[in-house]
Amino acid sequence: MNRLKRLLNWAMYGEYRWPILFGVLAVIFALLFWYDYTRTISVGDRTVIGYITYKHNRVQRRFQDRLVWTNLENRSPLTNQDTIRSEDLSDAHIHLNDGTVIKIDENSMVILDFTGSNPTIDFMNGGLQIEQGEGGSGLVINSGDNSIDASDSDLRLQSGEGNLLDLIVNRGEAMVNSGGQVRSVAMNQKAVMSDQGVDVRDIHLIPEEPRNQQIVPSDYGAVRIPFQWKVRGEFGAVTFQISRHRSFSSTMYSQTVNGSGLVAQLPPGTYYWRLFGRDRAGNEEVSEVRKVFVVVNSPVRLATPANGETFTYVNEPPLITFNWSGNALASSYEVLIGRNADLSDASSITATTTTLARRDFSAGRYYWQVVSKPSMSGVPDRRSPLGRFDVQQREGFPAPEIQRPVANQTLAEKDVTQGVLFVWKGLSEIKSYTVQVATDAGFENQLVNQTVSNNFLQAGAVTQKGTYFWRVRGSGGETESDFTAPVRFRIDTEAGAVEGAAQEVIRNMNPANGSRIDLANRNSLTFNWQGDDRARDYEFKLYRVVNGREVEVFSRRVTDESITMTDLRALAE
């Protein structure tokens, strides 16, 4: 009988043993991938070969030994054999340690390989511009079956449909090897590489200024930009065009001119420009398409601490978080903090993000200012207004601030079957709180006397109808605050109105108060609550606490009793 059972078990599970095995393996590999994705991405001991000096929209990097793509920011270091890609409407400027500037166009991918005797760029697709300046660096560019010796040249590459590849040399001379065919491409020449070989031709309509992917800073609105070009050969008037689209499916500016330049006034945005003309024989020619960015060099605005804000402490100086608005052209920020209003005694701190946290502030008055630091020449620094804050040392902790239940509030018995939830607010220095609940104002008959490290407590001993009193005090080591004044509340069959306040109609909120939520594997977060039948709609607001102040980060009016956030970037730790 036992043998028969074993045979039946094997027959039963044998049919599924391969799916089960594959399922286990899938889980294992998923966990390994998740570990690779979530572990800290850092340069480590990799060789740094350059930095991102300007990044527009979404540009990503993948290390040679990693599977996961990570986002790049201004001043992100780049390492040997990094793969860089840009998405739609995204661009990046890279400055290599040897002075070479690489400008990556949208929808592009390159691999930076500096392991050999000559630096090599593997160009996969998109658009790429190389600016080396005089001297060169022995740079080699590989793209499919094409190899380009760009040792002493500045050039631009653009991939097309199929295996089509366009090369324009803006300075010096480049050698092209395409399928064994070697051709020289000089300045102001264009090479078209395809399956049929290499076609080298002269360029007659030559854009000069602004350079491709040049950034033009704007203080506030539109800026006057001088466009210049050169015409070689017997050409008549040429047509100058500006469009918001690379394809020039529509143009916002088109003018036929006899000269070699004009001035156009453009508001902030991304623009493409080109030249179109005919020579004396009637042959048409269209110049290369260049891109120019008009970017607002926005002033830096201080957010927190609020001007004139006061921070208090008893034993340990407070952790003060500084926040300010970002500047799209800044690669870093200089934060100046001092005791004098002219900042003559200020300490200088470099930050690469728009936030900074410091704790080393003794009692006194402080002034602070933030200066944006662009990495591109010709872009001026922007300096914020002067901010002021005070730090005061107190003799003792103030009593915590009662939040719920509030004085004279009536709670419904059905809502406290697991116990009343007590919530309060205290200082960051306070390490623990003592909560007492009693049936009398003198706290002779205590139901709860408990010490917790959080700012809330759900008391399972308080569930029955009746009148109660509660209070709380904080402790920070050897120093304790006073107890709050006794707060009277009731538990009854139905919830009642608070004296002097509107009736509470929002109940059973989720996530519950004090919840910890791991966003690592989430792409959305749902909030729901139990409302009131008489409510027409609800106003949902989400706040982040910064330096003890509530800063609104999300707001929406809804008719349902729930809302789902799909953009979780506002939810910092």
Side-chain angles (χ1 to χ4, degrees):
M1 182 63 69
N2 290 335
R3 180 175 299 177
L4 179 60
K5 286 182 178 180
R6 286 197 297 271
L7 288 174
L8 289 173
N9 287 337
W10 170 249
M12 181 181 299
Y13 293 108
E15 180 183 354
Y16 300 104
R17 64 182 184 273
W18 292 115
I20 291 173
L21 177 60
F22 289 136
V24 171
L25 290 175
V27 171
I28 291 173
F29 282 114
L31 291 174
L32 290 174
F33 176 82
W34 182 248
Y35 169 74
D36 185 66
Y37 182 81
T38 55
R39 65 179 172 144
T40 302
I41 305 292
S42 64
V43 171
D45 58 357
R46 297 177 177 90
T47 302
V48 175
I49 61 173
Y51 293 85
I52 294 284
T53 56
Y54 174 75
K55 187 267 315 179
H56 177 60
N57 288 339
R58 189 177 178 88
V59 180
Q60 296 181 310
R61 174 255 301 284
R62 185 180 68 196
F63 290 123
Q64 179 195 18
D65 56 348
R66 299 295 297 272
L67 298 175
V68 177
W69 293 91
T70 57
N71 294 331
L72 290 168
E73 302 296 340
N74 288 345
R75 294 302 298 170
S76 289
L78 300 178
T79 66
N80 191 28
Q81 297 187 324
D82 279 357
T83 301
I84 312 297
R85 72 178 181 186
S86 60
E87 296 187 358
D88 192 30
L89 303 177
S90 303
D91 311 83
H93 292 186
I94 298 172
H95 278 231
L96 300 181
N97 294 341
D98 63 6
T100 299
V101 177
I102 302 174
K103 297 180 179 179
I104 299 176
D105 210 341
E106 59 183 327
N107 297 316
S108 302
M109 181 182 295
V110 298
I111 301 176
L112 308 176
D113 188 354
F114 282 43
T115 54
S117 57
N118 292 326
T120 301
I121 296 177
D122 290 331
F123 176 62
M124 306 300 183
N125 59 272
L128 182 70
Q129 180 153 326
I130 307 294
E131 298 175 2
Q132 298 183 96
E134 299 292 340
S137 59
L139 179 65
V140 175
I141 304 172
N142 295 321
S143 180
D145 295 332
N146 306 301
S147 178
I148 303 167
D149 182 353
S151 299
D152 188 17
S153 62
D154 296 342
L155 52 83
R156 183 180 177 191
L157 278 173
Q158 186 73 42
S159 64
E161 294 183 1
N163 296 323
L164 195 67
L165 185 65
D166 288 351
L167 166 67
I168 295 176
V169 176
N170 302 120
R171 185 197 62 80
E173 183 179 15
M175 299 298 296
V176 174
N177 187 331
S178 179
Q181 184 181 4
V182 179
R183 297 289 301 273
S184 171
V185 186
M187 180 177 174
N188 296 330
Q189 284 190 323
K190 176 180 180 179
V192 179
M193 290 160 270
S194 66
D195 295 336
Q196 285 71 43
V198 182
D199 178 25
V200 179
R201 64 192 71 165
D202 290 334
I203 299 174
H204 300 96
L205 303 180
I206 306 169
E208 291 191 323
E209 295 292 339
R211 301 183 307 278
N212 185 48
Q213 291 183 284
Q214 181 169 331
I215 298 169
V216 180
S218 166
D219 285 342
Y220 297 102
V223 60
R224 291 170 57 84
I225 302 177
F227 291 86
Q228 296 180 352
W229 57 85
K230 183 186 296 183
V231 180
R232 301 169 62 201
E234 296 183 353
F235 273 76
V238 298
T239 301
F240 170 81
Q241 295 179 325
I242 299 177
S243 175
R244 298 302 297 265
H245 312 283
R246 179 183 292 279
S247 65
F248 282 80
S249 55
S250 63
T251 57
M252 59 176 293
Y253 187 95
S254 182
Q255 181 175 339
T256 301
V257 293
N258 289 306
S260 59
L262 54 75
V263 176
Q265 184 163 308
L266 299 175
T270 300
Y271 302 92
Y272 301 89
W273 68 285
R274 69 180 182 182
L275 304 167
F276 171 82
R278 297 176 184 268
D279 63 14
R280 299 299 183 189
N283 299 313
E284 294 184 353
E285 182 172 325
V286 180
S287 73
E288 67 170 299
V289 176
R290 289 195 173 185
K291 179 188 293 187
V292 61
F293 305 100
V294 179
V295 182
V296 175
N297 188 20
S298 55
V300 178
R301 304 187 187 279
L302 305 182
T304 59
N307 194 42
E309 186 171 356
T310 299
F311 300 89
T312 61
Y313 74 98
V314 176
N315 300 317
E316 182 180 346
L319 178 67
I320 299 179
T321 301
F322 300 87
N323 282 279
W324 57 91
S325 63
N327 177 294
L329 299 176
S331 60
S332 63
Y333 300 89
E334 182 184 17
V335 184
L336 302 171
I337 306 175
R339 295 292 191 103
N340 298 330
D342 60 1
L343 297 176
S344 57
D345 64 335
S347 59
S348 175
I349 307 165
T350 299
T352 56
T353 63
T354 58
T355 186
L356 175 72
R358 299 293 294 266
R359 193 186 292 276
D360 51 345
F361 296 104
S362 57
R365 171 160 292 182
Y366 294 86
Y367 298 89
W368 70 297
Q369 192 174 58
V370 177
V371 184
S372 65
K373 294 292 182 180
S375 58
M376 292 156 287
S377 60
V379 180
D381 298 348
R382 297 305 301 265
R383 188 176 294 266
S384 75
L386 191 67
R388 173 179 60 83
F389 63 93
D390 295 288
V391 178
Q392 295 179 356
Q393 187 172 16
R394 304 172 60 116
E395 292 295 329
F397 294 124
E401 178 184 337
I402 294 295
Q403 292 190 316
R404 60 179 297 188
V406 295
N408 301 315
Q409 183 174 0
T410 301
L411 306 177
E413 188 178 21
K414 63 183 178 61
D415 293 334
V416 295
T417 57
Q418 302 299 317
V420 173
L421 179 65
F422 298 92
V423 185
W424 59 91
K425 182 187 294 187
L427 298 178
S428 59
E429 273 189 273
I430 296 179
K431 307 303 180 185
S432 64
Y433 298 90
T434 299
V435 183
Q436 294 181 348
V437 184
T439 57
D440 61 299
F443 288 85
E444 297 292 333
N445 184 22
Q446 294 187 11
L447 301 178
V448 177
N449 187 351
Q450 188 171 341
T451 300
V452 296
S453 58
N454 302 312
N455 68 325
F456 62 92
L457 171 66
Q458 188 158 20
V462 186
T463 60
Q464 304 299 315
K465 293 181 183 179
T467 300
Y468 301 90
F469 298 85
W470 79 285
R471 62 184 182 180
V472 60
R473 72 179 177 192
S475 174
E478 298 180 355
T479 306
E480 289 186 337
S481 75
D482 293 331
F483 270 111
T484 59
V487 175
R488 175 185 176 275
F489 69 96
R490 285 183 50 78
I491 298 177
D492 210 334
T493 304
E494 296 292 336
V498 179
E499 294 179 11
Q503 183 177 9
E504 183 182 16
V505 298
I506 307 299
R507 300 178 297 277
N508 299 334
M509 298 173 66
N510 182 57
N513 190 57
S515 297
R516 289 180 176 270
I517 299 174
D518 184 2
L519 297 179
N521 58 350
R522 286 177 176 263
N523 55 20
S524 65
L525 181 60
T526 298
F527 299 82
N528 53 61
W529 55 90
Q530 181 183 350
D532 190 286
D533 293 338
R534 296 167 297 175
R536 182 181 60 189
D537 55 20
Y538 302 92
E539 186 176 11
F540 177 88
K541 289 183 179 291
L542 183 67
Y543 297 88
R544 180 184 179 189
V545 178
V546 179
N547 293 333
R549 295 175 60 242
E550 294 178 344
V551 179
E552 183 179 311
V553 297
F554 183 80
S555 177
R556 187 158 303 169
R557 186 174 292 275
V558 296
T559 57
D560 297 327
E561 295 181 356
S562 69
I563 187 171
T564 298
M565 289 183 62
T566 56
D567 185 356
L568 303 182
R569 289 175 294 181
L571 299 178
E573 287 192 4

